[in-house]
Amino acid sequence: MPAQLIDGKAIAESLREEVKQKVSERVAKGLATPGLATVIIGDNPASKVYVRMKQKACQDAGIYSVGHELPGDASQEEVETLIRKLNNDPKIHGILVQLPLPAGLNEEQVLNSISLQKDVDGFHPINIGRLAQKGREPLFIPATPSGVIYLLEQSGAQLEGANAVVLGRSNIVGMPVSMLLVHANATVTICHSRTKDIPAITREADILVAAVGIPEYVRGDWIKPGATVIDVGVNRVEDASAKRGYRLVGDVAFDEAVEVARAITPVPGGVGPMTIAMLLRNTLRAARLADGNDVG
Ligand code: GUN
């Protein structure tokens, strides 16, 4: 029997609706409209598309959003000056600096300059450091990783005691998702470019998260029958029959995997929409933090 499809699009839509409702309730009570500032440096076309989607999602949810664009040759000081201004702007509750940054900028210092209370991406070194420690609570959890965990939970996967394998060790997805899986009491193996015999490891995985950026890298026979597969990859592959000349595929060979897994996310329509939904949630949370509320 083919796997259950984990419909990230529908799940994200219902989360976005929930955020919209909560935003409208707080505004009706006279509380501040949540505000998100996006910062994009340089002209990476994919980053521009993502940021535009984030701004549109804010608009739909009733969240105020302002976009800032700096040239690719902006200096460290210019970037940090803008961030300091946004840190001090009471209308802005969340600051998102789209990554990757152009070469020459110090990413760690840029992320470190964002106010901890406005770090809706959860990439501030203190928030990431807290995520890496037992018994510590980050103020914000990065959007894509928390979307992955949410989809796993919604699919009915058992995380506690599960063998979870994460392919990829990026700061944005692989590492934080691994830490969240540990917090959920899974036993986690992280595979990367130097790992030996990756298929032998993935075949033991009850939960498999693929975030390597290689089209259809994971084959059907790498998957343990009954596993839950979360595909974070979004890769363009040429396709002359497609209107745009390309189609999007994940890091997992979907047609093969769907015959083996218990549940799987499609690409597109799986993890992608969750990133935006979780960012909106984090922005609402930032506004509640600014109210002085215990957001729990
Ligand atoms: N680049 C790719 N994913 C993300 C994300 O979730 N946040 C930011 N800021 N940059 C990204």
Side-chain angles (χ1 to χ4, degrees):
M1 203 175 57
Q4 166 201 337
L5 272 194
I6 307 171
D7 188 348
K9 191 159 174 269
I11 295 169
E13 262 165 29
S14 104
L15 279 173
R16 283 171 64 164
E17 203 45 52
E18 208 176 286
V19 171
K20 183 176 177 172
Q21 183 64 32
K22 288 187 175 152
V23 167
S24 115
E25 281 166 19
R26 59 176 280 122
V27 172
K29 277 195 245 167
L31 292 166
T33 300
L36 175 74
T38 59
V39 178
I40 187 161
I41 307 155
D43 44 24
N44 179 324
S47 291
K48 287 194 166 180
V49 172
Y50 290 136
V51 167
R52 223 177 295 128
M53 286 165 68
K54 289 169 184 179
Q55 287 172 336
K56 163 82 168 51
C58 282
Q59 224 174 39
D60 292 347
I63 291 173
Y64 165 69
S65 85
V66 209
H68 292 270
E69 291 193 15
L70 292 177
D73 60 358
S75 68
Q76 187 78 23
E77 189 46 38
E78 281 172 273
V79 176
E80 291 183 24
T81 300
L82 171 61
I83 291 172
R84 275 195 297 273
K85 203 177 99 202
L86 297 169
N87 283 341
N88 292 321
D89 183 339
K91 288 215 286 291
I92 296 301
H93 304 100
I95 302 169
L96 179 143
V97 179
Q98 188 66 22
L99 303 175
L101 299 180
L105 289 174
N106 182 325
E107 181 187 291
E108 189 181 358
Q109 267 181 35
V110 168
L111 296 174
N112 200 38
S113 70
I114 297 172
S115 155
L116 206 53
Q117 285 74 20
K118 297 192 178 188
D119 177 37
V120 285
D121 249 334
F123 294 148
H124 188 291
I126 290 181
N127 275 324
I128 285 289
R130 287 182 182 163
L131 190 63
Q133 290 176 304
K134 204 172 155 188
R136 304 277 156 79
E137 289 272 336
L139 277 175
F140 299 97
I141 297 171
T144 305
S146 62
V148 167
I149 300 295
Y150 197 86
L151 290 180
L152 282 168
E153 287 169 351
Q154 289 288 305
S155 81
Q158 164 86 21
L159 300 187
E160 179 152 336
N163 276 340
V165 172
V166 177
L167 304 180
R169 54 177 161 179
S170 71
N171 289 336
I172 290 178
V173 184
M175 288 306 267
V177 101
S178 302
M179 294 189 274
L180 287 171
L181 285 163
V182 171
H183 285 296
N185 296 320
T187 302
V188 181
T189 306
I190 305 171
C191 298
H192 47 76
S193 53
R194 313 288 162 86
T195 302
K196 291 183 191 139
D197 200 356
I198 290 178
I201 298 169
T202 59
R203 283 184 194 117
E204 299 296 320
D206 304 308
I207 288 165
L208 179 59
V209 178
V212 284
I214 305 172
E216 301 179 323
Y217 174 68
V218 176
R219 312 309 309 190
D221 68 353
W222 296 21
I223 294 169
K224 178 177 174 179
T228 306
V229 178
I230 305 289
D231 190 349
V232 188
V234 183
N235 308 292
R236 282 185 186 189
V237 294
E238 272 184 39
D239 182 348
S241 70
K243 209 160 59 183
R244 290 177 294 192
Y246 67 87
R247 67 194 159 87
L248 294 179
V249 300
D251 290 350
V252 178
F254 182 86
D255 293 347
E256 297 173 15
V258 77
E259 299 299 332
V260 190
R262 176 195 69 88
I264 185 168
T265 56
V267 176
V271 175
M274 294 300 293
T275 300
I276 289 182
M278 291 305 184
L279 170 68
L280 299 182
R281 263 192 155 186
N282 279 351
T283 306
L284 172 62
R285 180 180 166 80
R288 296 181 63 200
L289 279 174
D291 298 339
N293 264 2
D294 175 8
V295 291

